[in-house]
Structure formats: C-alpha cells, structure tokens
C-alpha cells in the first residue's frame, strides 16, 4: 500500500512562529504536492515538486515556501505564521507518468494547523 | 487552463438508495484522466474511481459508477445501494494525459454527501 504520512495531525502555533510541516511518501513517487483545504474553497494548491530540489508555485504560494532535499520528503514552511494560515494542510504524491494505473494522487491524513 | 465544477455543495441520500453527484469540466485537451476522490470525516482522501478519456466505456467499481459524457464534458458519479460509510466529501478531479506539470490535478470544490439511516 502506498503510504503518505504527515508529521502531525494537529498543530497549534503562535503568530510569527516559523512552522514546518513534513510529508513523507514510500512509493518512490516523483511528484509531491501541498494543498490547503478550507470550507467552501475546496483544495487549493500551494506548491508542488516533480523532482528533488525542484519546486513550482501553485495557486496560492504567498506566505509559504517548500523544500525537497530527498525524493521521499517534501516540507512546507510557514516563515512567519499568521492567523489567516489556520487551515487543514494536505500533502499528496503521484507517479510522474500520467498514463497507466496508479496515476492518481495519494494523500496524507492532513495536518490541522491553528495559528493563534 | 482546465476548470472543474461541482455544482452541488451538499447532497443527501437515504440508506440503500441511489445518488448521483455532478461534475463538469472545461478543457481543450482530447486526452486526459478524470477521478472521483472520497474524503470521509477526519480520514484520509482516497480514490474512488478513475476514467480514461479515450475510453468510451464508463468505469465501474462495485457500487460506484460514472456517467462520462466527453462531448458534454460531464463526469457524474453514481453511488448505488448507499451505505452509511459512503458519507464523505467527494471531489472530482482532472489530470492531463501529458507527462507535464508534475502531474498536477485540478479539483472541484467538493460535494458533501450525507447518508440518512
């Protein structure tokens, strides 16, 4: 079974803190993604990566950065957390190849971040 | 850019009945993949069913089936014999068949399905 794990299920931080969210996948997937999920807004892509050290901005990258030093690990960084970053954060991974089976995204359990 | 629209923010169904969730999308591509994902309350999002655009036959997975209308750009999910465990948020998603963009998918806003006992 593909497993995507996230370092925390729940996290409470203070405004201005630097926050690290970690994601690890064990299927040797090339692609990894970070989303935030808010009620009524669906999934919004923050950043994605298609290879080690490669990253691209998604739809809402402001206030976030990412790091991918190893293929299996993709970190989301909030340099200075703000209350409007309180949200559910989902990590996902997928194969590079678009065709064939298992071309879907595999998701982690999510991290519910509260910024006070 | 592709867009995916789920016009039903909430749906409800009686246990054992059938429900259909709607999804429309917009694309200029001819080859692509469509997915339905399920996110149960406080649980991990998982794939329910996928459809290859080049296949005319509608995909089925046990009680889940799709109605794929390529010309109309419509991709609805039918859940037969609904069970309490089907209660979840359902997301429709689009992925290009090209090996580009790191396999980004475009997601709809989701439909919350309630199953009444």
């Amino acid at each position: 079974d593909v497993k995507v794990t996230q370092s925390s299920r729940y996290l409470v931080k203070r405004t201005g803190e630097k926050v690290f969210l970690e994601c690890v996948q064990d299927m040797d997937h090339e692609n990894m993604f970070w989303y935030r999920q808010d009620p009524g807004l669906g999934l919004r892509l923050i950043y994605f990566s298609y290879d080690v050290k490669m990253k691209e901005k998604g739809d809402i990258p402001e206030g976030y950065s990412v790091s991918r030093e190893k293929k299996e690990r993709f970190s989301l960084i909030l340099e200075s957390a703000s209350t409007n970053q309180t949200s559910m954060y989902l990590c996902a991974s997928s194969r590079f190849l678009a065709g064939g089976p298992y071309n879907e995204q595999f998701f982690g359990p999510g991290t519910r971040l509260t910024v006070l | 850019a592709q867009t995916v629209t789920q016009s039903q923010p909430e749906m409800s169904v009686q246990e054992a009945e059938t429900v259909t969730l709607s999804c429309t999308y917009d694309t200029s591509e001819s080859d692509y993949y469509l997915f339905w994902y399920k996110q149960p309350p406080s649980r991990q999002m998982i794939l329910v069913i996928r459809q290859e655009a080049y296949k005319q036959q509608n995909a089925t997975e046990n009680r889940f089936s799709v109605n794929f209308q390529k010309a109309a750009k419509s991709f609805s999910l039918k859940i037969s014999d609904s069970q309490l465990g089907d209660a979840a948020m359902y997301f429709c998603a689009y992925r290009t068949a090209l090996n580009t963009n790191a396999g980004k998918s475009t997601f709809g806003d989701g439909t919350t399905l309630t199953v009444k006992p």
Side-chain angles (χ1 to χ4, degrees):
Chain A
D1 268 0
V2 174
K3 283 203 178 139
V4 181
T5 57
Q6 295 183 229
S7 49
S8 306
R9 288 301 302 271
Y10 299 94
L11 208 53
V12 179
K13 295 292 182 181
R14 298 237 174 244
T15 302
E17 279 193 82
K18 190 168 186 175
V19 182
F20 293 87
L21 303 183
E22 304 283 335
C23 175
V24 177
Q25 50 92 6
D26 67 357
M27 273 296 288
D28 202 34
H29 283 169
E30 293 81 8
N31 305 328
M32 296 189 75
F33 309 86
W34 275 107
Y35 299 91
R36 65 176 282 176
Q37 183 178 14
D38 300 288
L41 297 178
L43 294 176
R44 292 184 290 169
L45 182 64
I46 304 171
Y47 267 95
F48 62 99
S49 167
Y50 52 90
D51 200 353
V52 175
K53 297 192 185 297
M54 305 305 290
K55 60 188 179 186
E56 288 199 25
K57 294 179 180 179
D59 302 318
I60 53 164
E62 297 78 18
Y64 304 93
S65 63
V66 290
S67 171
R68 193 163 180 203
E69 296 296 318
K70 293 185 178 182
K71 190 175 185 180
E72 67 271 18
R73 188 180 297 269
F74 192 36
S75 303
L76 180 69
I77 303 155
L78 288 66
E79 294 288 343
S80 178
S82 63
T83 55
N84 63 11
Q85 292 177 309
T86 292
S87 185
M88 170 70 84
Y89 290 87
L90 297 179
C91 175
S93 71
S94 73
R95 297 168 59 238
F96 169 75
L97 290 175
Y102 311 111
N103 62 343
E104 71 270 29
Q105 291 191 12
F106 293 84
F107 286 84
T111 296
R112 186 164 294 281
L113 173 67
T114 302
V115 183
L116 302 175
Chain B
Q2 294 81 23
T3 59
V4 175
T5 302
Q6 295 179 245
S7 59
Q8 308 151 316
E10 297 178 346
M11 292 281 285
S12 68
V13 62
Q14 207 70 35
E15 196 176 4
E17 299 291 307
T18 295
V19 65
T20 298
L21 307 185
S22 300
C23 174
T24 58
Y25 58 95
D26 190 26
T27 184
S28 58
E29 297 178 331
S30 60
D31 199 12
Y32 47 86
Y33 299 89
L34 297 166
F35 307 89
W36 278 99
Y37 291 88
K38 170 185 177 181
Q39 186 182 37
S42 300
R43 291 178 60 189
Q44 217 142 334
M45 181 138 36
I46 57 172
L47 178 71
V48 175
I49 197 166
R50 94 185 81 225
Q51 174 79 42
E52 294 91 340
Y54 62 86
K55 288 187 177 178
Q56 293 187 341
Q57 187 173 8
N58 289 325
T60 62
E61 287 285 345
N62 301 312
R63 297 182 295 106
F64 298 87
S65 61
V66 299
N67 183 4
F68 173 50
Q69 302 288 328
K70 190 172 185 179
K73 297 180 182 174
S74 170
F75 181 60
S76 60
L77 175 69
K78 186 171 84 171
I79 306 173
S80 305
D81 185 26
S82 297
Q83 300 176 0
L84 295 178
D86 295 333
M89 181 167 279
Y90 288 82
F91 291 93
C92 178
Y94 171 105
R95 178 179 180 173
T96 177
L98 299 173
N99 293 324
T100 59
N101 288 328
K104 275 198 315 178
S105 287
T106 303
F107 287 83
D109 287 344
T111 297
T112 300
L113 178 66
T114 302
V115 181
K116 298 177 181 177

